[in-house]
């Protein structure tokens, strides 16, 4: 392994808008033999070879720097787990991180992709087992709330900025990142719509926004008058009026979980993204076309949107009536041994 390198794992790069994790060595080489895998480092104080730094597991654990992003904490935990468990192959690390650390398959996939890129391109190492790693696909249906349950969660939120944020997430079906980056100029009050900039995959899209929500945002904006953001950070030293930092993901998620626990919805597995799932399902219940819903949600593939067909009640009641009517007028089938005599 390299001596004195840092592993930088990006979920998103400036030039690549996919969720592929790019791994690179950022420490400048001091000598020509920096990329010599057999070289060893020397302890500055004693002048002796530093076996600790030459240990790949130690480097992987201590020299890992996780850039901020939705998966940064998972990446840090991933490397820490790999070091402490003394895994010898990429397959063991990937398998155990998925099973023992309860890492979701969708979160683990870009991490494994980053590992494969690192050991195949940046720091080549022959790990045949790493090439054989396959992340199991998840087929779980998302959790969906009823309309009155969504209304209860939003109205039970005490602080105005959190309540307004949750309201916007639901009525527009926005991801957390899309909603917190909203700018006052993105809202078109005349047309009743909002422009979502640089969404997932680096795509822009237009989403309808209720007029009542536009009026709510007008009143909310007057409480901070930040020209850059609709939901500015309240912890920035520049002040809420001048900051260019949005509200933090962790603060928003924690605030939502507080309300979820208070209303006893925790056992359902409700989280902030559940508002988006509920939005999509409720629109399908009202007969919104699946292709239109795909555009609202910003899905690249229609198959991603089709998962909500398993959750909607549209057509389900009519289908149940038809099923109940099958052979309804036929005489009952007699079972051998049944007594037909009155009791």
């Amino acid at each position: 392994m390299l001596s004195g390198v840092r592993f930088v794992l990006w979920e998103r790069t400036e030039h690549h808008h996919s969720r592929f994790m790019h791994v690179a060595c950022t420490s400048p080489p001091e000598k020509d033999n920096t990329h010599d895998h057999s070289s060893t480092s020397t302890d500055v104080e004693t002048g002796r070879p530093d076996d600790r730094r030459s240990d790949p597991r130690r480097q992987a654990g201590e020299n890992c720097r996780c850039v901020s992003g939705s998966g940064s904490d998972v990446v840090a935990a991933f490397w820490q787990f790999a070091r402490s468990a003394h895994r010898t192959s990429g397959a063991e690390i990937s398998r155990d991180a998925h099973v023992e650390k309860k890492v979701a398959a969708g979160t683990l996939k870009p991490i494994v992709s980053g590992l494969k890129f690192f050991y195949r391109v940046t720091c080549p190492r022959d790990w045949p087992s790493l090439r054989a790693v396959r992340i199991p696909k998840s087929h779980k249906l998302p959790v969906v709330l009823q309309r009155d349950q969504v209304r209860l969660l939003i109205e039970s939120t005490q602080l105005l900025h959190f309540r307004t944020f949750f309201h916007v997430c639901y009525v527009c079906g926005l991801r957390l990142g899309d909603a917190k980056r909203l700018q006052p100029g993105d809202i078109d009050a005349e047309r009743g719509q909002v422009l979502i900039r640089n969404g997932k995959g680096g795509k822009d899209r237009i989403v309808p926004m209720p007029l009542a929500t536009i009026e709510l945002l007008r009143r909310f904006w007057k409480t901070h008058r930040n020209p850059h953001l609709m939901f500015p950070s309240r912890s920035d030293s520049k002040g809420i009026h001048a900051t260019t930092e949005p509200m933090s993901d962790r603060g928003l998620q924690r605030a939502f979980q507080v309300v979820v626990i208070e209303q006893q919805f925790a056992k359902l597995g409700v989280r902030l993204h559940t508002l988006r799932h509920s939005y999509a399902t409720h629109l399908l219940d009202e007969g919104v076309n699946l292709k239109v819903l795909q555009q609202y949600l910003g899905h690249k593939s229609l198959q991603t949107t089709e998962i909500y067909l398993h959750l909607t009640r549209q057509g389900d009641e009519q289908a149940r009536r038809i099923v109940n009517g099958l052979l309804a007028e036929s005489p009952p089938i007699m079972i051998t041994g049944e007594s037909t005599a009155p009791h």
Side-chain angles (χ1 to χ4, degrees), residues 3-77:
S3 173
V5 300
R6 287 181 180 271
F7 301 156
V8 184
L9 298 102
W10 296 84
E11 284 190 321
R12 205 170 192 171
T13 65
E14 180 180 357
H15 303 289
H16 303 279
H17 295 289
S18 64
R19 288 183 61 84
F20 180 78
M21 185 174 296
H22 175 68
V23 188
C25 298
T26 58
S27 296
E30 297 180 359
K31 298 180 181 180
D32 294 338
N33 63 348
T34 302
H35 292 281
D36 183 6
H37 292 230
S38 61
S39 61
T40 57
S41 58
T42 304
D43 190 287
V44 178
E45 296 181 358
T46 63
R48 300 176 180 176
D50 189 356
D51 296 333
R52 298 175 303 169
R53 294 187 179 182
S54 62
D55 184 358
R57 291 188 299 268
R58 185 177 183 86
Q59 283 188 335
E62 294 186 354
N63 293 336
C64 175
R65 177 168 64 90
C66 303
V67 182
S68 60
S70 61
S72 60
D73 293 337
V74 177
V75 175

Side-chain angles (χ1 to χ4, degrees), residues 177-178 181-183 185-186 195-200 202-205:
D178 296 338
R181 290 192 301 267
L182 279 181
Q183 302 178 15
D186 295 338
L195 172 63
I196 307 301
R197 301 179 184 271
N198 195 26
K200 188 175 181 180
K203 298 179 296 183
D204 296 349
R205 70 182 189 276

Side-chain angles (χ1 to χ4, degrees), residues 4 25 66 122 128 130 148 164 170 197 209 227 229 244 246 319 343:
C25 298
C66 303
T122 308
L130 187 61
D148 55 344
T164 305
Y170 171 66
R197 301 179 184 271
M209 176 175 283
L229 294 167
T244 56
H343 296 284

Side-chain angles (χ1 to χ4, degrees), residues 217-270:
L217 290 178
R218 279 201 186 104
R219 299 196 306 269
F220 173 72
W221 183 83
K222 293 180 181 179
T223 63
H224 59 77
R225 297 185 179 275
N226 186 297
H228 309 290
L229 294 167
M230 184 60 69
F231 298 101
S233 172
R234 299 177 120 72
S235 59
D236 196 315
S237 58
K238 296 180 182 179
I240 191 174
H241 307 285
T243 182
T244 56
E245 294 295 326
M247 298 167 66
S248 68
D249 292 8
R250 181 167 298 183
L252 291 165
Q253 291 168 346
R254 285 181 175 178
F256 189 76
Q257 287 304 311
V258 168
V259 183
V260 167
I261 294 174
E262 289 179 352
Q263 301 303 322
Q264 300 180 355
F265 289 156
K267 292 183 178 180
L268 301 177
V270 175

Side-chain angles (χ1 to χ4, degrees), residues 78-125:
F78 182 88
W79 281 109
Q80 179 65 25
F81 178 77
R83 182 189 66 165
S84 62
H86 300 286
R87 296 300 187 262
T88 59
S89 71
E92 292 180 3
I93 294 175
S94 303
R95 179 197 63 207
D96 294 334
H98 177 67
V99 176
E100 298 181 19
K101 301 299 288 185
K102 306 298 182 181
V103 179
T107 303
L108 188 59
K109 185 176 181 179
I111 297 176
V112 174
S113 298
L115 286 173
K116 290 182 178 180
F117 179 90
F118 185 84
Y119 287 112
R120 185 179 67 250
V121 179
T122 308
C123 299
R125 180 174 177 178

Side-chain angles (χ1 to χ4, degrees), residues 143 145 150 153-154 157 161-171 173-180 247-260 269-279:
V143 177
L145 296 174
V150 174
L153 286 176
I154 295 176
T157 306
H161 55 284
F162 287 137
R163 184 165 68 250
T164 305
F165 185 88
F166 301 155
H167 176 97
V168 172
C169 284
Y170 171 66
V171 299
L174 301 183
R175 301 181 181 93
L176 185 152
D178 296 338
K180 76 173 189 177
M247 298 167 66
S248 68
D249 292 8
R250 181 167 298 183
L252 291 165
Q253 291 168 346
R254 285 181 175 178
F256 189 76
Q257 287 304 311
V258 168
V259 183
V260 167
V270 175
R271 53 196 181 96
L272 185 53
H273 203 71
T274 302
L275 297 179
R276 176 176 163 89
H277 295 319
S278 302
Y279 164 86

